[in-house]
Amino acid sequence: MSVTSAAVVAIDREAIRELIYRICLLLDQNKFVEWLAHCTPDFRYTISAWSPEIRRDMIWLDHDLDGITNLMKMLPKHNSDQTPLTRHASVYTIDHHPERGEADVVTSVAIFATALDGGATELWALGRYHDTVSVADGVPRLRRRNVRLETRSLGIGKHWPL
Amino acid sequence: MARTAADWDKTPPLPPTHYVDPRIYSDPAVFAEEQEKIFAKVWVIACHESEIPNANDYRTFAHPAGKNLLVVRGEDGKVRTFYNVCPHRGNTIVYNPAGNGKHITCIFHAWAFNTKGDCIDITREKQGYGDRLNKKDYGLREVRTAVGYGGMVWVTLDDAAGPLEEYIGHALDGMLKCLESEPLDIFHYHKAVVNTNFKFWHDTNSEFYHDYMHYHNRQTSMLLPTYWEREYVPFPNGHAQVGDQVVNYEAYEGFHSRELSFPGLPRNGWKMVDLFPNCTYNIRGSSLRLDTMTPLSPTRTVIEFRGLGLTRDTPAERSQRIRDYNSIWGPFGRNLHEDLLGVMGQGRAIGRGQTWILHGREEQHKIHDEVGMRHYYTEWTRRMGRSATESSRMTTARS
């Protein structure tokens, strides 16, 4: 790799980290429209987990950009638990694939719930973001996110993306 | 108008069968009696047969009467159930929720059992026990087991209980073609642990008046004339069937008509049966959801959700069923979260002000009639030997 291309990769890596963290902040604030603005038109979002009980992989949510946009648009019509979620994320690995114009990114995430009444915080879920980030046009955008949950006992569940 | 304390405590102007004392949802003495008089006597579902498809597969089950069980498929293909406890020193034998093992060996002192529950090895048996104790007398405690009604594995702790078919009666007849035409296969499992009483969840499944809570159901069901024709049909032993309906899924923006179905179910069809005391079969469109509840205490409940399709599904069909299921019923689905939010709210409020819980709507058994709940509490009263309304034997004070 030339010095120039190495520098480009370094810039991409930093931009990718910033994208992941910025998205966390947007999701923490329920700014779903702004979150989706960081996604490519062919974005795909899934939440999945392995069940040791039935010894099968499970997909709990699976939507393209239109699907997830619609779910967020319909939220005001539903009764949803409003307990805020806060993400603590650490980008573990970034595997850059210049030939694809993409990077595969693995981020560890702990999601905390803070009660509206009294503000007690508890760990709500642990998992990892397995992301594919497009870097083709110089601006990193999320093309694929699989939220791989370790935690499967999620209480009453949630209407929001993680 | 708002009420004074005296007015608030007055009994409702309804027959006593049409309201209950809220303490049945929170009183520890009631809960202990429910474990003894109901859960220890009835048939309940432990798992689905597709969770243990192969010889020597096992699955653990925390029985609502407070026993830890182990469901095992033997080398002869038969499904048997045992207490998951070593007869030696009371250790849990199998720790993982599911797995496969030819022999069931306690890690503590290596006592070993086969899949028929026979004790096949006591380490240094002769040296320790001589002729005083023999492994042939120290098998596992077997629990009566039956597989049926869609391949569910049913168990009862009561050796004197009647057969499963007698307990279910005709309650599932209207769904049998869906359940029995071909094998089913599990694709979804999750637990919701909620601070609420288990009966609140069954109550929710037993009345549709709460559809006002669900925007999805208001759009896809309540706007159809056929919704109002759905009728509850009570069956012996506390079971109840909800009348069938065809749902208009496309009325919810962004959702689509179900492409897949079940044998005997019209496209977008919906069938539902509530079984006493802790189970609901719910088939909508392309998937079966099975709810089972295990109370941990009067005010804390584990609800297990299973999603099932057909064993013969192609990968594409299975993916479609999973998407359909999760659109409303997964942990991030439109409806399940709302239902759980409701019973969590009931759990939060119980014992904190409510004097009576009303089950009093009468609409000729149609969809907003609360006869499903009343029928449940008739059976509950019969088995408990106490009225759900009469509170004199409860140990906690009225709030």
Side-chain angles (χ1 to χ4, degrees), chain A:
Chain A
M1 185 182 292
S2 68
V3 172
T4 306
S5 59
V8 169
V9 168
I11 292 167
D12 282 348
R13 291 171 71 89
E14 195 50 43
I16 288 167
R17 277 195 196 91
E18 179 161 338
L19 173 74
I20 301 300
Y21 294 136
R22 190 171 294 279
I23 284 174
C24 284
L25 290 172
L26 292 171
L27 288 171
D28 286 355
Q29 299 169 81
N30 292 353
K31 292 184 174 176
F32 303 122
V33 173
E34 291 85 343
W35 163 51
L36 292 170
H38 288 284
C39 302
T40 60
D42 59 348
F43 177 60
R44 176 106 180 268
Y45 180 84
T46 55
I47 300 176
S48 66
W50 165 257
S51 166
E53 298 93 347
I54 62 172
R55 292 177 288 174
R56 284 163 171 77
D57 211 53
M58 302 183 292
I59 298 176
W60 283 351
L61 203 64
D62 183 358
H63 284 287
D64 59 14
L65 184 62
D66 286 345
I68 200 78
T69 301
N70 184 63
L71 285 188
M72 299 306 100
K73 187 180 95 179
M74 302 298 275
L75 276 178
K77 297 178 183 294
H78 284 273
N79 290 296
S80 304
D81 174 36
Q82 298 298 317
T83 305
L85 299 179
T86 306
R87 293 147 186 82
H88 182 87
S90 296
V91 175
Y92 276 4
T93 59
I94 301 174
D95 294 320
H96 203 238
H97 304 286
E99 74 285 1
R100 283 172 20 206
E102 290 179 341
D104 294 325
V105 185
V106 177
T107 302
S108 177
V109 61
I111 303 173
F112 298 87
T114 301
L116 288 170
D117 186 356
T121 295
E122 61 182 25
L123 180 62
W124 190 73
L126 279 177
R128 286 182 183 155
Y129 293 140
H130 291 264
D131 294 332
T132 300
V133 175
S134 167
V135 293
D137 59 0
V139 178
R141 292 187 188 280
L142 201 56
R143 172 164 284 152
R144 172 88 173 87
R145 166 158 287 183
N146 177 28
V147 185
R148 187 69 178 169
L149 287 175
E150 290 297 325
T151 305
R152 303 180 311 285
S153 184
L154 299 169
I156 64 169
K158 209 74 180 170
H159 274 161
W160 302 340
L162 302 181

Side-chain angles (χ1 to χ4, degrees), chain B residues 194-271:
Chain B
V194 187
N195 289 330
T196 197
N197 183 273
F198 79 93
K199 296 189 292 300
F200 277 136
W201 188 253
H202 204 85
D203 291 352
T204 294
N205 278 338
S206 301
E207 58 92 358
F208 273 65
Y209 189 37
H210 78 274
D211 268 339
Y212 286 107
M213 178 163 66
H214 299 307
Y215 176 74
H216 177 273
N217 286 7
R218 294 203 305 274
Q219 293 301 110
T220 61
S221 294
M222 286 180 79
L223 293 175
L224 300 172
T226 49
Y227 173 85
W228 303 98
E229 294 163 11
R230 299 182 81 177
E231 187 168 325
Y232 285 94
V233 181
F235 290 91
N237 298 323
H239 314 315
Q241 175 197 333
V242 186
D244 301 348
Q245 192 193 4
V246 172
V247 175
N248 179 19
Y249 286 103
E250 294 185 340
Y252 185 95
E253 191 176 333
F255 279 23
H256 305 288
S257 180
R258 303 300 192 236
E259 295 170 10
L260 301 168
S261 183
F262 263 65
L265 188 73
R267 191 177 182 198
N268 298 316
W270 187 358
K271 289 177 178 287

